[in-house]
Amino acid sequence: MIDIEAIRKRAEAATEGPWEPKNWTHVVSNEFYIASMERGPLEAVRADSDFIAHARQDIPALLEALAAQVHANEVLISALEEVKKELSGNHCNGCGESRGGELADMCDLCGASIHAEEIISIALKSSPRLGEKETRP
């Protein structure tokens, strides 16, 4: 599993940016040389220099985007869990009439499908929280 907090700490501890390629053989910040790539094919040196230089801005941006997605996932999981609680009773999702503890494909009174609880359970299993191992139905 990826240690997001360790990545965040390394990014925060790194020399302030922006980092920029200099002569395509060095990456520099305002005060320091960050990296030197003086050997290898010119195109590879340029690509490496560009990648390293942009990492200072890209990694924090990726961490922010990931945090936003994790938060959105948490909100959806919480909502699904609440809906699952609502559906876990012995009542039809459509008309609210008692099902008498029996599960069927359709409600005898209103014809509503009553498989929503199962669908939500599958969705919850396939959307693990950060730090939990992903499981598939």
Side-chain angles (χ1 to χ4, degrees):
M1 183 168 5
I2 298 172
D3 188 345
I4 302 298
E5 192 55 34
I7 294 170
R8 183 178 313 285
K9 285 179 182 177
R10 287 191 298 268
E12 289 171 354
T15 302
E16 287 294 319
W19 293 357
E20 299 175 354
K22 181 178 181 182
N23 300 326
W24 296 109
T25 58
H26 294 84
V27 175
V28 298
S29 72
N30 291 336
E31 302 176 28
F32 304 103
Y33 278 94
I34 302 299
S36 177
M37 284 96 24
E38 296 186 16
R39 297 183 186 205
L42 182 59
E43 287 304 310
V45 169
R46 285 181 175 176
D48 292 346
S49 176
D50 195 45
F51 178 81
I52 293 168
H54 285 92
R56 186 66 190 102
Q57 294 90 303
D58 292 349
I59 298 297
L62 287 169
L63 289 171
E64 273 188 44
L66 177 61
Q69 290 302 310
V70 167
H71 175 72
N73 194 41
E74 288 290 329
V75 168
L76 290 172
I77 287 171
S78 293
L80 285 171
E81 287 172 342
E82 287 300 314
V83 171
K84 185 177 177 183
K85 283 181 196 174
E86 291 288 325
L87 296 175
S88 66
N90 292 324
H91 294 86
C92 171
N93 303 332
C95 66
E97 289 296 317
S98 175
R99 295 188 292 203
E102 293 185 24
L103 295 177
D105 288 340
M106 304 290 278
C107 174
D108 292 334
L109 295 174
C110 72
S113 172
I114 53 177
H115 286 292
E117 185 176 354
E118 180 181 346
I119 292 167
I120 290 170
S121 292
I122 291 168
L124 287 170
K125 286 179 187 175
S126 64
S127 300
R129 287 187 162 84
L130 188 63
E132 290 181 3
K133 190 172 183 176
E134 185 173 347
T135 58
R136 295 283 176 186

